[in-house]
């Protein structure tokens, strides 16, 4: 006697008004053997192709993203989009194999490591190839693809936002508890130091229509200046009042 693997298919039918079941028997030996003969190498190749397809899809999405994107596995960057490479001053291939923390300035080197497996955004000081730095906000997310764990990080340059926050903190701290004219003197002092600039002025427009400007407080060349009252015409204050933000040399 010989044993066969049989594939059985059944479906309800009606014959001459009587219900019945149609049963089909098919020998499944070849199908079973074909599956059994699939080697571990072939299965691995299938898995690799699937992973490559997933990575290619990721690359396309990463390149279309408006921010820097890094794909990490085991703490190492395995893909970086051109936006991130441009932010750091490298070619994309030069970033591969490095950790994200390796791009941090010395005084913040432990910050990315401290973030660990957390998916909470964090900010650290990133260092470009030329040695200049910028504030980088990292939003990490963990992905599981075919049993392999990846970490996707979106990196955004938030230097301007951080600078504004530092400026706000400096102004609030420097003028706390100060009132009256002393408040304006303290304000221009800390404003000049925080921006930093050589000159800072707080002025009040007067007259109807506006024809004069009263300098309430001024910081000039590292020292406070004296208040003044003068005609508005021909002054930088007139240009600012009429046209908004201006640059003077």
């Amino acid at each position: 006697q010989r044993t066969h693997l049989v594939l059985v298919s059944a479906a309800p039918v009606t014959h001459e008004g009587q219900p019945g079941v149609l049963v089909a028997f098919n020998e499944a030996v070849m199908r079973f053997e074909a599956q059994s003969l699939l080697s571990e190498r072939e299965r691995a190749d299938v898995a690799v192709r699937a992973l490559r397809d997933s990575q290619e899809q990721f690359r396309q999405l990463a390149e279309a993203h408006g921010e820097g994107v890094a794909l990490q596995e085991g703490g190492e960057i395995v893909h970086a989009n051109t936006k991130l490479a441009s932010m750091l001053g490298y070619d994309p291939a030069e970033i591969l194999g490095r950790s994200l923390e390796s791009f941090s300035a010395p005084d913040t080197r432990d910050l990315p490591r401290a973030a660990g497996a957390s998916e909470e955004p964090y900010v650290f000081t990133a260092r470009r190839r030329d040695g200049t730095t910028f504030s980088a906000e990292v939003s990490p997310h963990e992905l599981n693809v075919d049993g392999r764990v990846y970490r996707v990080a979106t990196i955004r340059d938030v230097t301007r936002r951080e600078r504004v926050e530092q400026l706000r903190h400096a102004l609030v701290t420097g003028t706390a508890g100060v009132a009256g004219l002393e408040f304006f003197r303290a304000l221009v002092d800390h404003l000049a130091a925080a921006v930093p600039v050589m000159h800072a002025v707080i002025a009040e427009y007067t007259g109807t229509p506006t024809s004069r400007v009263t300098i309430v407080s001024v910081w000039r060349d590292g020292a406070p200046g004296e208040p003044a009252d003068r005609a508005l015409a021909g002054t930088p204050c007139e240009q600012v009042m009429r046209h908004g933000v201006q640059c003077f040399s």
Side-chain angles (χ1 to χ4, degrees):
Q1 293 183 347
R2 193 159 61 93
T3 301
H4 293 267
L5 288 175
V6 178
L7 181 66
V8 181
S9 302
V13 297
T14 301
H15 179 67
E16 296 181 354
Q18 299 295 320
V21 178
L22 178 64
V23 180
F25 297 87
N26 294 299
E27 191 170 17
V29 173
M30 293 304 295
R31 180 179 301 181
F32 176 78
E33 288 181 347
Q35 180 66 25
S36 299
L37 293 175
L38 187 64
S39 69
E40 290 298 324
R41 177 60 180 271
E42 290 171 325
R43 294 179 187 179
D45 289 342
V46 170
V48 168
R49 285 196 297 271
L51 180 59
R52 286 175 180 169
D53 290 342
S54 298
Q55 290 177 335
E56 181 57 32
Q57 292 176 1
F58 173 83
R59 289 188 183 95
Q60 294 175 6
L61 291 173
E63 289 304 321
H65 202 288
E67 308 293 347
V69 178
L71 178 66
Q72 304 166 87
E73 183 180 20
E76 294 185 355
I77 297 174
V78 296
H79 176 74
N81 69 351
T82 53
K83 175 66 175 180
L84 177 60
S86 176
M87 290 168 62
L88 294 169
Y90 291 86
D91 291 328
E94 295 178 296
I95 298 177
L96 304 185
R98 296 181 58 172
S99 64
L100 192 58
E101 69 183 46
S102 70
F103 295 100
S104 60
D107 58 341
T108 58
R109 185 170 297 279
D110 291 334
L111 188 55
R113 186 185 301 115
S118 172
E119 294 195 356
E120 290 296 320
Y122 60 91
V123 177
F124 74 103
T125 302
R127 182 173 54 185
R128 301 183 182 92
R129 181 200 286 271
D130 62 7
T132 60
T133 61
F134 66 96
S135 295
E137 181 183 67
V138 181
S139 298
H141 300 282
E142 191 172 282
L143 292 178
N144 192 307
V145 180
D146 296 330
R148 300 175 69 170
V149 179
Y150 294 91
R151 194 169 175 81
V152 180
T154 301
I155 299 93
R156 178 182 296 109
D157 185 343
V158 293
T159 303
R160 178 172 296 183
R161 188 192 73 187
E162 292 295 300
R163 186 60 179 160
V164 169
E165 177 58 28
Q166 292 172 5
L167 174 60
R168 186 197 66 81
H169 179 74
L171 294 181
V172 170
T173 303
T175 58
V178 183
L181 290 177
E182 287 300 320
F183 168 81
F184 293 110
R185 294 192 182 100
L187 181 59
V188 293
D189 181 0
H190 289 87
L191 183 62
V195 172
V197 293
M198 296 180 64
H199 306 275
V201 176
I202 296 178
E204 178 184 11
Y205 297 119
T206 59
T208 306
T210 303
S211 60
R212 300 193 66 79
V213 58
T214 299
I215 309 298
V216 178
S217 186
V218 60
W219 184 266
R220 181 183 297 114
D221 297 328
E226 293 298 323
D229 182 89
R230 64 186 60 182
L232 179 63
T235 65
C237 292
E238 181 186 32
Q239 296 298 315
V240 172
M241 187 187 76
R242 296 184 184 282
H243 306 292
V245 176
Q246 299 289 299
C247 293
F248 301 97
S249 59

